[in-house]
Amino acid sequence: MNLIPILFLHLLVLPAAVIPIGVNYGTLGNNLPSHTEVANFLKTRTIIDRVKIFDTNPDIIKAFANTNILVTVTVPNGDIPSLTNPRNAIRWVNTHIKPYHPATKFHYICVGTEVLHWGPQNLVDNLVPAMKVLHAALVKTGMGDVKVSSPHSLGILLESNPPSNASFRPGWDVGNLAPMLQFLRKTKAGFMVNPYTYFGYSPKYEDFCLFKPNGGLFDKATGKRYTNQFDQLMDAVYVSMKKLGYPDVEIIVAETGWPSGGDPQNTHANPVNAAAYNGGLLKKVTSGAGTPLMPGRKFETYIFSLFNENLKGPSLDEQNFGLFRPDFTRVYDIGILRGPQELPTGPSGPSSRPAAPAQGKKWCVPKSNATPAALQSNIDYVCSHGTDCRPIQAGGACFQPNNVRAHAAFVMNSFYQSNGRHDFNCDFAQTGVITFTDPSNGSCEYRA
């Protein structure tokens, strides 16, 4: 049954030449197509002209050679301190960029991801110095056309509503963001932000989050009315930059999106809402309308994400941000494909719809806003209190995906199941939540 409003078919089939739109290409899935197939698909079948990846995977970089698609790569957060050393920076450039340049059109190097938000402090302190040294290394090796920036969560904002009252958080504003903005202005690079309206969703403001008709919010100080949360958040970033003296620096939307499926309690994660948000976003950023405080401005934008990724988690929401399934069929239609648009297809397959709740069974998983530091603390606590943590160690059934969130999910659930299965056993200083959907994945089985 076609659930997607037909309106999108008419409004969003736009000429490829006027749509500079990007996508985040994640690879946390065991059923994804080859990188060469992905590059060819994007080049020949879609209007997407740029991609952002979360590492420097040489196979991906080589796959995009001679495609004319702009490629943005990412320095892992943990590598940031070493790049403050000029020799290390040149070595990094010679290893990860120079062998593939200019056949692959590198656009940006993202130094870390949401570093200020996640920390720790030594990474925060070294972020801007690393950006400067890496830029100097690119210039020295003849690749000064590759820009350097770093994406931020909107946790950098102290306030965002109303936008006129927005500002960056004290300490980060002068200590980190002002020097970064100065560097970005000097190198003509963009300030990257990740404005997810999904994570600020409430039923009361659903239409406001999804670019649907609504009464909007009025900012008395500026006399501007906001009819969608994207504009509100972007203007909050702009006002915060302006207060530091950098209103002229370009703003790049490095990540934003909406999942087409999720855990049973997250009923707003569905294909209709995902199409509404991403379709409205696409129309907004390619229209040239700008925002109330930035009229006429276009924003380089990267939708999150290209594919549904079945190894992400632990929530099903995180697995279902994709525009496409691994077989290249659309999860929903917003006009991303070139040429005649086949009828939109609804979600199908286990990676794009919520799994049926298991009767009478409950699991404990991290909340979506739990920080890595808090989750690592949970791991340390659980593993020091008698829980068998061998499955998350190297070679264990639950070692992959090898990240703090996945490991914390497994051990938090093990603790919950072993200690009475009371809701308070899943509190973990308010970083745990009960789910009725089995988070088991492949050979990694969660107790229930």
Side-chain angles (χ1 to χ4, degrees):
M1 181 177 179
N2 178 13
L3 297 175
I4 310 303
I6 297 299
L7 176 64
F8 287 111
L9 289 173
H10 299 290
L11 291 181
L12 297 174
V13 180
L14 303 173
V18 299
I19 301 182
I21 194 73
V23 69
N24 286 273
Y25 173 21
T27 56
L28 290 178
N30 60 12
N31 57 355
L32 299 178
S34 72
H35 306 312
T36 302
E37 290 175 309
V38 172
N40 183 63
F41 172 73
L42 293 179
K43 178 182 178 181
T44 61
R45 296 289 314 284
T46 79
I47 61 174
I48 294 166
D49 71 348
R50 59 200 66 203
V51 298
K52 182 163 76 71
I53 63 176
F54 296 94
D55 52 24
T56 54
N57 185 325
D59 294 330
I60 298 179
I61 292 171
K62 286 185 288 186
F64 281 94
N66 304 310
T67 61
N68 213 36
I69 293 174
L70 300 179
V71 176
T72 291
V73 299
T74 303
V75 176
N77 287 18
D79 290 352
I80 290 172
S82 69
L83 292 181
T84 60
N85 181 306
R87 289 185 179 179
N88 290 341
I90 288 177
R91 187 180 303 115
W92 190 94
V93 168
N94 284 336
T95 300
H96 299 290
I97 305 298
K98 191 171 184 178
Y100 316 105
H101 180 279
T104 296
K105 295 181 67 174
F106 291 99
H107 185 36
Y108 272 89
I109 298 173
C110 294
V111 180
T113 299
E114 299 184 344
V115 175
L116 299 189
H117 184 92
W118 299 118
Q121 191 61 41
N122 71 308
L123 299 188
V124 173
D125 293 341
N126 283 294
L127 177 57
V128 175
M131 293 170 66
K132 292 179 178 179
V133 173
L134 185 58
H135 171 72
L138 288 164
V139 172
K140 188 171 184 178
T141 52
M143 292 175 286
D145 58 314
V146 182
K147 298 181 180 182
V148 175
S149 190
S150 184
H152 302 282
S153 81
L154 292 196
I156 60 175
L157 297 176
L158 181 64
E159 298 283 349
S160 64
N161 186 29
S164 61
N165 196 40
S167 63
F168 292 127
R169 290 186 181 277
W172 289 348
D173 54 356
V174 176
N176 305 100
L177 294 170
M180 181 181 296
L181 288 164
Q182 182 181 45
F183 164 78
L184 296 174
R185 173 190 279 170
K186 181 179 180 181
T187 59
K188 296 181 171 58
F191 183 66
M192 293 183 168
V193 294
N194 299 340
Y196 282 96
T197 70
Y198 176 74
F199 295 118
Y201 171 87
S202 72
K204 182 179 179 181
Y205 295 107
E206 178 173 293
D207 291 345
F208 188 66
C209 289
L210 294 173
F211 294 99
K212 293 180 178 180
N214 65 91
L217 298 176
F218 185 70
D219 189 336
K220 293 180 181 179
T222 60
K224 303 295 185 181
R225 181 169 295 278
Y226 290 84
T227 58
N228 64 82
Q229 192 175 34
F230 178 82
D231 280 355
Q232 175 204 328
L233 294 175
M234 294 299 285
D235 274 357
V237 172
Y238 170 75
V239 168
S240 301
M241 295 167 63
K242 187 176 182 180
K243 287 179 178 178
L244 291 181
Y246 298 94
D248 54 308
V249 175
E250 178 189 3
I251 303 174
I252 295 175
V253 180
E255 286 182 37
T256 189
W258 197 283
S260 61
D263 290 335
Q265 68 272 23
N266 295 332
T267 56
H268 56 294
N270 62 64
V272 174
N273 285 353
Y277 178 77
N278 283 325
L281 172 77
L282 183 62
K283 187 166 179 279
K284 156 65 68 174
V285 299
T286 60
S287 69
T291 69
L293 293 182
M294 295 180 284
R297 186 182 289 199
K298 291 185 179 181
F299 303 103
E300 181 175 344
T301 299
Y302 295 82
I303 296 174
F304 187 89
S305 61
L306 179 55
F307 293 114
N308 285 339
E309 299 170 65
N310 66 356
L311 294 183
K312 294 196 73 173
S315 74
L316 286 173
D317 306 46
E318 295 185 40
Q319 297 179 17
N320 287 283
F321 272 90
L323 296 171
F324 297 94
R325 304 183 188 90
D327 63 359
F328 296 113
T329 58
R330 293 171 304 169
V331 180
Y332 49 84
D333 176 51
I334 58 168
I336 288 290
L337 291 176
R338 292 179 185 269
Q341 302 290 296
E342 68 266 26
L343 290 175
T345 52
S348 66
S351 66
S352 58
R353 72 172 69 207
Q359 292 296 324
K361 294 184 178 181
K362 298 189 294 183
W363 292 264
C364 176
V365 296
K367 288 183 177 179
S368 60
N369 62 351
T371 67
L375 296 181
Q376 184 60 56
S377 178
N378 293 347
I379 293 172
D380 295 341
Y381 175 83
V382 170
C383 294
S384 64
H385 283 74
T387 297
D388 182 8
C389 291
R390 288 175 296 180
I392 66 169
Q393 297 173 1
C398 299
F399 179 67
Q400 296 293 347
N402 181 19
N403 60 64
V404 171
R405 178 167 291 274
H407 289 178
F410 179 81
V411 300
M412 287 165 65
N413 180 69
S414 297
F415 180 88
Y416 167 75
Q417 303 295 345
S418 301
N419 288 274
R421 300 178 184 173
H422 305 293
D423 287 358
F424 60 79
N425 295 129
C426 186
D427 183 73
F428 290 100
Q430 299 184 0
T431 63
V433 64
I434 299 295
T435 180
F436 297 92
T437 301
D438 187 354
S440 299
N441 181 36
S443 62
C444 179
E445 296 184 3
Y446 284 58
R447 290 178 55 193

